[in-house]
Amino acid sequence: MSLGDLALGTSFVKKIRSWREVFKKDSTELKEIQKEKLRKMLSHASENSPFYKSFSIPLDQDPFKTLKNFPILPKQTLKERVDEFLTTDQTKGLTSITSSGSTGAPSKVYFNSEELSSNRALQIIWWEWAGYKFGNSVLQTGVNMKRSAEKKLKDYLLNTRYIDAVSHDENQIKEELELLLEHPRQHFVGYASSIFLFAKVANKYNIKGVKFDSIISIGEKLLPNFRKEIDTAFQSPIYDTYGASEGFLIASQCRKGTYHIMSPHLVLEILDEQGNEVKPGEMGRVVLTGLDNFTLPLIRYEIGDLAVKASDQTCSCGLQLPVLGEIVGRITEFIKTPRGKYITVQTVVRLMKKFEEIDQYKVIQHSESELEIELVSGIKLDSRYEEKISSEYERVLEEKLNIKFTQVPKISKAKTGKFQLIESRLN
């Protein structure tokens, strides 16, 4: 890996060693690291970013108090005014990363080589929590098949075979599974829905013997039915991760299954509709402040997710990092009823589990009283079956809804390659 840094002008090796030392520290030391990094970030942004400089926010001795005086930043503002966030006059030599756009229009952020190396090193730390060691073989699914010279070198150095996550069909997956039987890979990294499809094909065709030292889910929510299918197919440890494509590595599961927040890398706030921190056990909006990207600071950036604040901040795995309760998902991944209730993805999953003939489904909300459910099934579903589903929805939601059913050969993914279980088309 040192040769890779030399060839690319990066500092990956130095960064991963640094992160390893950070995560050995106790909770008090980790809080102090976060506090000092926040102090530096708020000072740097206030002095060098035109956007934040315009607010003239006084810096309190306690950076957490200062933070509360910064406005919450919507994604649209970043998209429209990205140049005002930059702390440098030119973007030459910087790396730009564009978000998936899964909660609206995509936004762009910039990193210098040091910042990018730090993020990539932190991602490998997550792999290490799942048992990865340098030299281990990896199968990874993703959406960016146009691999740059840098990414090709990274794949080579990390012994990674990178395959397309967008165009999976049964025959392609069967070929990959057969290849894995002949040439096993130690770790499987990919979108939750992509790994889920591999598992479905393995179970459908009774392909046994494909196992991994670990399976690492990235990029989207690992739904309960996804995890169950994957566990049945591969009987391998599953580790879920939680990040945002603007460069935030938010939380990852340890060997105990607990989501640990990367507090030396960011400040995570979970806020109610009035902007106040929710109580333990309550759900709120995810708002992030990055502590490592000084090129383009993002302070109190709302990513469009909901999460539950943990009731218990301890974990027996040994890590002293704070704990995240539950990742609920995108704000768009909800059904809003005429009475103003929000029905979560988890509720839909539990409801649809009752209908075993349905292989896949997607719920599209066109208005507060009108839903469309796309269904994939090996049998023709008649109107009586549709009436059963409608009745179950109305029983659970306790409201009358107009539900239209469309049976399709397969559920289409978003342009990002992600599987969206609920698609809200409400204004």
Side-chain angles (χ1 to χ4, degrees), residues 220 223-226 332-333 344-350 352 360-364 372 374 411 418-424:
E220 57 190 343
L223 298 168
N225 61 317
F226 285 13
T332 54
E333 292 176 349
T344 68
V345 168
Q346 288 89 337
T347 300
V348 171
V349 170
R350 285 195 292 269
M352 296 301 290
Q360 283 184 278
Y361 54 89
K362 180 177 183 178
V363 181
I364 302 168
E372 178 183 359
E374 293 183 350
I411 302 295
K418 297 181 180 182
F419 176 82
Q420 197 168 340
L421 192 66
I422 293 178
E423 181 182 343
S424 176

PDB file of all heavy atoms in Angstrom, residues 220 223-226 332-333 344-350 352 360-364 372 374 411 418-424:
ATOM      1  N   GLU A 220     -26.998   1.742   1.350  1.00  0.00           N
ATOM      2  CA  GLU A 220     -28.441   1.821   1.539  1.00  0.00           C
ATOM      3  C   GLU A 220     -28.834   0.995   2.750  1.00  0.00           C
ATOM      4  O   GLU A 220     -28.046   0.196   3.258  1.00  0.00           O
ATOM      5  CB  GLU A 220     -29.182   1.334   0.289  1.00  0.00           C
ATOM      6  CG  GLU A 220     -28.822  -0.075  -0.115  1.00  0.00           C
ATOM      7  CD  GLU A 220     -29.376  -0.443  -1.490  1.00  0.00           C
ATOM      8  OE1 GLU A 220     -30.275   0.248  -1.992  1.00  0.00           O
ATOM      9  OE2 GLU A 220     -28.894  -1.423  -2.059  1.00  0.00           O
ATOM     10  N   LEU A 223     -32.509  -3.814   5.030  1.00  0.00           N
ATOM     11  CA  LEU A 223     -33.839  -4.123   5.551  1.00  0.00           C
ATOM     12  C   LEU A 223     -33.851  -5.491   6.235  1.00  0.00           C
ATOM     13  O   LEU A 223     -33.051  -6.368   5.891  1.00  0.00           O
ATOM     14  CB  LEU A 223     -34.858  -4.098   4.421  1.00  0.00           C
ATOM     15  CG  LEU A 223     -35.026  -2.747   3.712  1.00  0.00           C
ATOM     16  CD1 LEU A 223     -35.823  -2.924   2.431  1.00  0.00           C
ATOM     17  CD2 LEU A 223     -35.698  -1.749   4.631  1.00  0.00           C
ATOM     18  N   PRO A 224     -34.758  -5.697   7.192  1.00  0.00           N
ATOM     19  CA  PRO A 224     -34.799  -6.985   7.907  1.00  0.00           C
ATOM     20  C   PRO A 224     -34.976  -8.191   6.984  1.00  0.00           C
ATOM     21  O   PRO A 224     -34.337  -9.225   7.191  1.00  0.00           O
ATOM     22  CB  PRO A 224     -36.008  -6.822   8.837  1.00  0.00           C
ATOM     23  CG  PRO A 224     -36.148  -5.357   9.029  1.00  0.00           C
ATOM     24  CD  PRO A 224     -35.726  -4.729   7.743  1.00  0.00           C
ATOM     25  N   ASN A 225     -35.827  -8.060   5.947  1.00  0.00           N
ATOM     26  CA  ASN A 225     -36.010  -9.197   5.049  1.00  0.00           C
ATOM     27  C   ASN A 225     -34.775  -9.432   4.185  1.00  0.00           C
ATOM     28  O   ASN A 225     -34.487 -10.563   3.788  1.00  0.00           O
ATOM     29  CB  ASN A 225     -37.256  -9.010   4.172  1.00  0.00           C
ATOM     30  CG  ASN A 225     -37.192  -7.792   3.293  1.00  0.00           C
ATOM     31  OD1 ASN A 225     -36.771  -6.723   3.722  1.00  0.00           O
ATOM     32  ND2 ASN A 225     -37.600  -7.930   2.043  1.00  0.00           N
ATOM     33  N   PHE A 226     -34.012  -8.356   3.894  1.00  0.00           N
ATOM     34  CA  PHE A 226     -32.746  -8.524   3.186  1.00  0.00           C
ATOM     35  C   PHE A 226     -31.780  -9.349   4.039  1.00  0.00           C
ATOM     36  O   PHE A 226     -31.161 -10.310   3.568  1.00  0.00           O
ATOM     37  CB  PHE A 226     -32.112  -7.164   2.903  1.00  0.00           C
ATOM     38  CG  PHE A 226     -32.750  -6.378   1.792  1.00  0.00           C
ATOM     39  CD1 PHE A 226     -33.983  -6.733   1.266  1.00  0.00           C
ATOM     40  CD2 PHE A 226     -32.109  -5.268   1.270  1.00  0.00           C
ATOM     41  CE1 PHE A 226     -34.566  -5.999   0.242  1.00  0.00           C
ATOM     42  CE2 PHE A 226     -32.676  -4.526   0.239  1.00  0.00           C
ATOM     43  CZ  PHE A 226     -33.910  -4.891  -0.266  1.00  0.00           C
ATOM     44  N   THR A 332     -37.885  10.367   2.536  1.00  0.00           N
ATOM     45  CA  THR A 332     -38.781  10.029   1.434  1.00  0.00           C
ATOM     46  C   THR A 332     -39.283   8.597   1.530  1.00  0.00           C
ATOM     47  O   THR A 332     -40.210   8.217   0.824  1.00  0.00           O
ATOM     48  CB  THR A 332     -38.068  10.199   0.089  1.00  0.00           C
ATOM     49  OG1 THR A 332     -36.864   9.437   0.092  1.00  0.00           O
ATOM     50  CG2 THR A 332     -37.769  11.652  -0.187  1.00  0.00           C
ATOM     51  N   GLU A 333     -38.686   7.763   2.381  1.00  0.00           N
ATOM     52  CA  GLU A 333     -39.070   6.358   2.486  1.00  0.00           C
ATOM     53  C   GLU A 333     -40.169   6.165   3.526  1.00  0.00           C
ATOM     54  O   GLU A 333     -40.054   5.369   4.444  1.00  0.00           O
ATOM     55  CB  GLU A 333     -37.847   5.504   2.820  1.00  0.00           C
ATOM     56  CG  GLU A 333     -36.845   5.453   1.673  1.00  0.00           C
ATOM     57  CD  GLU A 333     -35.586   4.683   2.027  1.00  0.00           C
ATOM     58  OE1 GLU A 333     -35.383   4.363   3.216  1.00  0.00           O
ATOM     59  OE2 GLU A 333     -34.789   4.412   1.123  1.00  0.00           O
ATOM     60  N   THR A 344     -43.489   3.704   8.299  1.00  0.00           N
ATOM     61  CA  THR A 344     -42.092   3.456   7.966  1.00  0.00           C
ATOM     62  C   THR A 344     -41.910   2.259   7.045  1.00  0.00           C
ATOM     63  O   THR A 344     -42.811   1.445   6.846  1.00  0.00           O
ATOM     64  CB  THR A 344     -41.276   3.204   9.249  1.00  0.00           C
ATOM     65  OG1 THR A 344     -41.693   1.953   9.813  1.00  0.00           O
ATOM     66  CG2 THR A 344     -41.465   4.304  10.264  1.00  0.00           C
ATOM     67  N   VAL A 345     -40.692   2.159   6.517  1.00  0.00           N
ATOM     68  CA  VAL A 345     -40.308   1.010   5.694  1.00  0.00           C
ATOM     69  C   VAL A 345     -40.501  -0.289   6.465  1.00  0.00           C
ATOM     70  O   VAL A 345     -40.987  -1.293   5.925  1.00  0.00           O
ATOM     71  CB  VAL A 345     -38.839   1.150   5.235  1.00  0.00           C
ATOM     72  CG1 VAL A 345     -38.326  -0.158   4.642  1.00  0.00           C
ATOM     73  CG2 VAL A 345     -38.705   2.261   4.216  1.00  0.00           C
ATOM     74  N   GLN A 346     -40.123  -0.270   7.751  1.00  0.00           N
ATOM     75  CA  GLN A 346     -40.236  -1.479   8.560  1.00  0.00           C
ATOM     76  C   GLN A 346     -41.685  -1.959   8.659  1.00  0.00           C
ATOM     77  O   GLN A 346     -41.954  -3.159   8.637  1.00  0.00           O
ATOM     78  CB  GLN A 346     -39.671  -1.243   9.979  1.00  0.00           C
ATOM     79  CG  GLN A 346     -38.163  -1.134  10.006  1.00  0.00           C
ATOM     80  CD  GLN A 346     -37.692   0.292   9.790  1.00  0.00           C
ATOM     81  OE1 GLN A 346     -38.401   1.102   9.218  1.00  0.00           O
ATOM     82  NE2 GLN A 346     -36.491   0.585  10.236  1.00  0.00           N
ATOM     83  N   THR A 347     -42.639  -1.011   8.761  1.00  0.00           N
ATOM     84  CA  THR A 347     -44.052  -1.382   8.811  1.00  0.00           C
ATOM     85  C   THR A 347     -44.485  -2.050   7.517  1.00  0.00           C
ATOM     86  O   THR A 347     -45.186  -3.066   7.528  1.00  0.00           O
ATOM     87  CB  THR A 347     -44.923  -0.131   9.064  1.00  0.00           C
ATOM     88  OG1 THR A 347     -44.532   0.458  10.308  1.00  0.00           O
ATOM     89  CG2 THR A 347     -46.396  -0.491   9.132  1.00  0.00           C
ATOM     90  N   VAL A 348     -44.048  -1.496   6.399  1.00  0.00           N
ATOM     91  CA  VAL A 348     -44.385  -2.078   5.094  1.00  0.00           C
ATOM     92  C   VAL A 348     -43.801  -3.480   4.966  1.00  0.00           C
ATOM     93  O   VAL A 348     -44.460  -4.410   4.492  1.00  0.00           O
ATOM     94  CB  VAL A 348     -43.889  -1.168   3.949  1.00  0.00           C
ATOM     95  CG1 VAL A 348     -44.046  -1.863   2.594  1.00  0.00           C
ATOM     96  CG2 VAL A 348     -44.632   0.156   3.953  1.00  0.00           C
ATOM     97  N   VAL A 349     -42.550  -3.649   5.417  1.00  0.00           N
ATOM     98  CA  VAL A 349     -41.909  -4.967   5.338  1.00  0.00           C
ATOM     99  C   VAL A 349     -42.686  -5.993   6.152  1.00  0.00           C
ATOM    100  O   VAL A 349     -42.963  -7.110   5.693  1.00  0.00           O
ATOM    101  CB  VAL A 349     -40.440  -4.885   5.823  1.00  0.00           C
ATOM    102  CG1 VAL A 349     -39.847  -6.278   5.984  1.00  0.00           C
ATOM    103  CG2 VAL A 349     -39.604  -4.081   4.842  1.00  0.00           C
ATOM    104  N   ARG A 350     -43.061  -5.622   7.379  1.00  0.00           N
ATOM    105  CA  ARG A 350     -43.802  -6.557   8.231  1.00  0.00           C
ATOM    106  C   ARG A 350     -45.169  -6.890   7.618  1.00  0.00           C
ATOM    107  O   ARG A 350     -45.636  -8.027   7.684  1.00  0.00           O
ATOM    108  CB  ARG A 350     -43.978  -5.952   9.633  1.00  0.00           C
ATOM    109  CG  ARG A 350     -42.713  -5.972  10.467  1.00  0.00           C
ATOM    110  CD  ARG A 350     -43.016  -5.702  11.929  1.00  0.00           C
ATOM    111  NE  ARG A 350     -43.462  -4.343  12.141  1.00  0.00           N
ATOM    112  CZ  ARG A 350     -42.654  -3.334  12.433  1.00  0.00           C
ATOM    113  NH1 ARG A 350     -41.361  -3.545  12.528  1.00  0.00           N
ATOM    114  NH2 ARG A 350     -43.126  -2.115  12.622  1.00  0.00           N
ATOM    115  N   MET A 352     -46.047  -6.818   4.347  1.00  0.00           N
ATOM    116  CA  MET A 352     -45.941  -7.600   3.113  1.00  0.00           C
ATOM    117  C   MET A 352     -45.429  -9.020   3.359  1.00  0.00           C
ATOM    118  O   MET A 352     -45.592  -9.902   2.508  1.00  0.00           O
ATOM    119  CB  MET A 352     -45.037  -6.875   2.115  1.00  0.00           C
ATOM    120  CG  MET A 352     -45.580  -5.521   1.645  1.00  0.00           C
ATOM    121  SD  MET A 352     -47.203  -5.606   0.845  1.00  0.00           S
ATOM    122  CE  MET A 352     -46.791  -6.441  -0.687  1.00  0.00           C
ATOM    123  N   GLN A 360     -41.103  -9.728  -4.739  1.00  0.00           N
ATOM    124  CA  GLN A 360     -40.602  -8.371  -4.525  1.00  0.00           C
ATOM    125  C   GLN A 360     -41.748  -7.387  -4.687  1.00  0.00           C
ATOM    126  O   GLN A 360     -42.777  -7.705  -5.318  1.00  0.00           O
ATOM    127  CB  GLN A 360     -39.496  -8.018  -5.534  1.00  0.00           C
ATOM    128  CG  GLN A 360     -38.134  -8.633  -5.224  1.00  0.00           C
ATOM    129  CD  GLN A 360     -37.104  -8.144  -6.223  1.00  0.00           C
ATOM    130  OE1 GLN A 360     -37.011  -8.667  -7.331  1.00  0.00           O
ATOM    131  NE2 GLN A 360     -36.331  -7.159  -5.854  1.00  0.00           N
ATOM    132  N   TYR A 361     -41.545  -6.184  -4.151  1.00  0.00           N
ATOM    133  CA  TYR A 361     -42.596  -5.173  -4.233  1.00  0.00           C
ATOM    134  C   TYR A 361     -42.005  -3.785  -4.050  1.00  0.00           C
ATOM    135  O   TYR A 361     -40.882  -3.618  -3.542  1.00  0.00           O
ATOM    136  CB  TYR A 361     -43.673  -5.418  -3.170  1.00  0.00           C
ATOM    137  CG  TYR A 361     -43.109  -5.523  -1.768  1.00  0.00           C
ATOM    138  CD1 TYR A 361     -42.944  -4.391  -0.980  1.00  0.00           C
ATOM    139  CD2 TYR A 361     -42.720  -6.757  -1.251  1.00  0.00           C
ATOM    140  CE1 TYR A 361     -42.405  -4.478   0.288  1.00  0.00           C
ATOM    141  CE2 TYR A 361     -42.180  -6.854   0.016  1.00  0.00           C
ATOM    142  CZ  TYR A 361     -42.029  -5.711   0.781  1.00  0.00           C
ATOM    143  OH  TYR A 361     -41.487  -5.801   2.037  1.00  0.00           O
ATOM    144  N   LYS A 362     -42.756  -2.817  -4.504  1.00  0.00           N
ATOM    145  CA  LYS A 362     -42.370  -1.419  -4.325  1.00  0.00           C
ATOM    146  C   LYS A 362     -43.649  -0.610  -4.128  1.00  0.00           C
ATOM    147  O   LYS A 362     -44.612  -0.775  -4.885  1.00  0.00           O
ATOM    148  CB  LYS A 362     -41.610  -0.908  -5.546  1.00  0.00           C
ATOM    149  CG  LYS A 362     -41.165   0.548  -5.470  1.00  0.00           C
ATOM    150  CD  LYS A 362     -40.371   0.901  -6.719  1.00  0.00           C
ATOM    151  CE  LYS A 362     -39.842   2.316  -6.671  1.00  0.00           C
ATOM    152  NZ  LYS A 362     -39.026   2.635  -7.860  1.00  0.00           N
ATOM    153  N   VAL A 363     -43.677   0.231  -3.124  1.00  0.00           N
ATOM    154  CA  VAL A 363     -44.845   1.051  -2.822  1.00  0.00           C
ATOM    155  C   VAL A 363     -44.575   2.483  -3.298  1.00  0.00           C
ATOM    156  O   VAL A 363     -43.600   3.104  -2.874  1.00  0.00           O
ATOM    157  CB  VAL A 363     -45.173   1.041  -1.320  1.00  0.00           C
ATOM    158  CG1 VAL A 363     -46.415   1.879  -1.045  1.00  0.00           C
ATOM    159  CG2 VAL A 363     -45.364  -0.379  -0.821  1.00  0.00           C
ATOM    160  N   ILE A 364     -45.444   2.968  -4.194  1.00  0.00           N
ATOM    161  CA  ILE A 364     -45.309   4.326  -4.730  1.00  0.00           C
ATOM    162  C   ILE A 364     -46.503   5.143  -4.247  1.00  0.00           C
ATOM    163  O   ILE A 364     -47.653   4.753  -4.434  1.00  0.00           O
ATOM    164  CB  ILE A 364     -45.280   4.314  -6.266  1.00  0.00           C
ATOM    165  CG1 ILE A 364     -44.130   3.434  -6.775  1.00  0.00           C
ATOM    166  CG2 ILE A 364     -45.137   5.734  -6.817  1.00  0.00           C
ATOM    167  CD1 ILE A 364     -44.205   3.131  -8.253  1.00  0.00           C
ATOM    168  N   GLU A 372     -49.691   3.166  -5.240  1.00  0.00           N
ATOM    169  CA  GLU A 372     -49.520   2.147  -6.267  1.00  0.00           C
ATOM    170  C   GLU A 372     -48.508   1.136  -5.741  1.00  0.00           C
ATOM    171  O   GLU A 372     -47.461   1.525  -5.229  1.00  0.00           O
ATOM    172  CB  GLU A 372     -49.012   2.750  -7.573  1.00  0.00           C
ATOM    173  CG  GLU A 372     -48.780   1.709  -8.657  1.00  0.00           C
ATOM    174  CD  GLU A 372     -48.196   2.295  -9.937  1.00  0.00           C
ATOM    175  OE1 GLU A 372     -47.987   3.522  -9.997  1.00  0.00           O
ATOM    176  OE2 GLU A 372     -47.924   1.510 -10.872  1.00  0.00           O
ATOM    177  N   GLU A 374     -46.221  -1.984  -6.908  1.00  0.00           N
ATOM    178  CA  GLU A 374     -45.682  -2.848  -7.949  1.00  0.00           C
ATOM    179  C   GLU A 374     -45.345  -4.196  -7.311  1.00  0.00           C
ATOM    180  O   GLU A 374     -44.723  -4.250  -6.239  1.00  0.00           O
ATOM    181  CB  GLU A 374     -44.435  -2.234  -8.576  1.00  0.00           C
ATOM    182  CG  GLU A 374     -44.704  -0.969  -9.369  1.00  0.00           C
ATOM    183  CD  GLU A 374     -43.450  -0.426 -10.033  1.00  0.00           C
ATOM    184  OE1 GLU A 374     -42.346  -0.921  -9.712  1.00  0.00           O
ATOM    185  OE2 GLU A 374     -43.571   0.477 -10.874  1.00  0.00           O
ATOM    186  N   ILE A 411     -38.673  -5.306 -10.374  1.00  0.00           N
ATOM    187  CA  ILE A 411     -38.725  -3.960  -9.803  1.00  0.00           C
ATOM    188  C   ILE A 411     -37.508  -3.191 -10.296  1.00  0.00           C
ATOM    189  O   ILE A 411     -36.368  -3.633 -10.136  1.00  0.00           O
ATOM    190  CB  ILE A 411     -38.727  -3.999  -8.265  1.00  0.00           C
ATOM    191  CG1 ILE A 411     -39.916  -4.819  -7.749  1.00  0.00           C
ATOM    192  CG2 ILE A 411     -38.759  -2.580  -7.697  1.00  0.00           C
ATOM    193  CD1 ILE A 411     -41.272  -4.239  -8.051  1.00  0.00           C
ATOM    194  N   LYS A 418     -29.551   1.770  -6.533  1.00  0.00           N
ATOM    195  CA  LYS A 418     -30.118   1.394  -5.249  1.00  0.00           C
ATOM    196  C   LYS A 418     -31.569   0.946  -5.403  1.00  0.00           C
ATOM    197  O   LYS A 418     -32.291   1.414  -6.272  1.00  0.00           O
ATOM    198  CB  LYS A 418     -30.046   2.567  -4.261  1.00  0.00           C
ATOM    199  CG  LYS A 418     -28.617   2.996  -3.955  1.00  0.00           C
ATOM    200  CD  LYS A 418     -28.595   4.126  -2.959  1.00  0.00           C
ATOM    201  CE  LYS A 418     -27.172   4.558  -2.651  1.00  0.00           C
ATOM    202  NZ  LYS A 418     -27.108   5.627  -1.646  1.00  0.00           N
ATOM    203  N   PHE A 419     -31.959   0.063  -4.535  1.00  0.00           N
ATOM    204  CA  PHE A 419     -33.337  -0.425  -4.513  1.00  0.00           C
ATOM    205  C   PHE A 419     -34.129   0.430  -3.540  1.00  0.00           C
ATOM    206  O   PHE A 419     -33.750   0.571  -2.378  1.00  0.00           O
ATOM    207  CB  PHE A 419     -33.365  -1.891  -4.086  1.00  0.00           C
ATOM    208  CG  PHE A 419     -34.752  -2.434  -3.955  1.00  0.00           C
ATOM    209  CD1 PHE A 419     -35.447  -2.860  -5.053  1.00  0.00           C
ATOM    210  CD2 PHE A 419     -35.369  -2.522  -2.713  1.00  0.00           C
ATOM    211  CE1 PHE A 419     -36.743  -3.383  -4.936  1.00  0.00           C
ATOM    212  CE2 PHE A 419     -36.648  -3.014  -2.581  1.00  0.00           C
ATOM    213  CZ  PHE A 419     -37.336  -3.452  -3.700  1.00  0.00           C
ATOM    214  N   GLN A 420     -35.220   1.036  -4.020  1.00  0.00           N
ATOM    215  CA  GLN A 420     -36.033   1.922  -3.185  1.00  0.00           C
ATOM    216  C   GLN A 420     -37.365   1.239  -2.923  1.00  0.00           C
ATOM    217  O   GLN A 420     -38.191   1.098  -3.813  1.00  0.00           O
ATOM    218  CB  GLN A 420     -36.242   3.250  -3.897  1.00  0.00           C
ATOM    219  CG  GLN A 420     -36.711   4.360  -2.975  1.00  0.00           C
ATOM    220  CD  GLN A 420     -36.633   5.722  -3.649  1.00  0.00           C
ATOM    221  OE1 GLN A 420     -35.916   5.894  -4.616  1.00  0.00           O
ATOM    222  NE2 GLN A 420     -37.369   6.678  -3.126  1.00  0.00           N
ATOM    223  N   LEU A 421     -37.589   0.823  -1.695  1.00  0.00           N
ATOM    224  CA  LEU A 421     -38.788   0.088  -1.326  1.00  0.00           C
ATOM    225  C   LEU A 421     -40.022   0.969  -1.333  1.00  0.00           C
ATOM    226  O   LEU A 421     -41.103   0.558  -1.713  1.00  0.00           O
ATOM    227  CB  LEU A 421     -38.613  -0.550   0.058  1.00  0.00           C
ATOM    228  CG  LEU A 421     -39.642  -1.575   0.481  1.00  0.00           C
ATOM    229  CD1 LEU A 421     -39.549  -2.805  -0.389  1.00  0.00           C
ATOM    230  CD2 LEU A 421     -39.450  -1.941   1.945  1.00  0.00           C
ATOM    231  N   ILE A 422     -39.850   2.217  -0.915  1.00  0.00           N
ATOM    232  CA  ILE A 422     -40.932   3.198  -0.949  1.00  0.00           C
ATOM    233  C   ILE A 422     -40.477   4.391  -1.773  1.00  0.00           C
ATOM    234  O   ILE A 422     -39.392   4.922  -1.564  1.00  0.00           O
ATOM    235  CB  ILE A 422     -41.330   3.662   0.465  1.00  0.00           C
ATOM    236  CG1 ILE A 422     -41.979   2.517   1.253  1.00  0.00           C
ATOM    237  CG2 ILE A 422     -42.272   4.854   0.396  1.00  0.00           C
ATOM    238  CD1 ILE A 422     -42.341   2.891   2.667  1.00  0.00           C
ATOM    239  N   GLU A 423     -41.308   4.808  -2.708  1.00  0.00           N
ATOM    240  CA  GLU A 423     -41.018   5.988  -3.504  1.00  0.00           C
ATOM    241  C   GLU A 423     -42.141   6.988  -3.302  1.00  0.00           C
ATOM    242  O   GLU A 423     -43.293   6.734  -3.669  1.00  0.00           O
ATOM    243  CB  GLU A 423     -40.878   5.647  -4.986  1.00  0.00           C
ATOM    244  CG  GLU A 423     -40.562   6.840  -5.864  1.00  0.00           C
ATOM    245  CD  GLU A 423     -40.465   6.492  -7.336  1.00  0.00           C
ATOM    246  OE1 GLU A 423     -40.330   5.288  -7.653  1.00  0.00           O
ATOM    247  OE2 GLU A 423     -40.547   7.421  -8.151  1.00  0.00           O
ATOM    248  N   SER A 424     -41.818   8.121  -2.701  1.00  0.00           N
ATOM    249  CA  SER A 424     -42.821   9.148  -2.450  1.00  0.00           C
ATOM    250  C   SER A 424     -42.792  10.178  -3.572  1.00  0.00           C
ATOM    251  O   SER A 424     -41.753  10.752  -3.862  1.00  0.00           O
ATOM    252  CB  SER A 424     -42.554   9.834  -1.107  1.00  0.00           C
ATOM    253  OG  SER A 424     -43.474  10.885  -0.917  1.00  0.00           O
TER     254      SER A 424
END
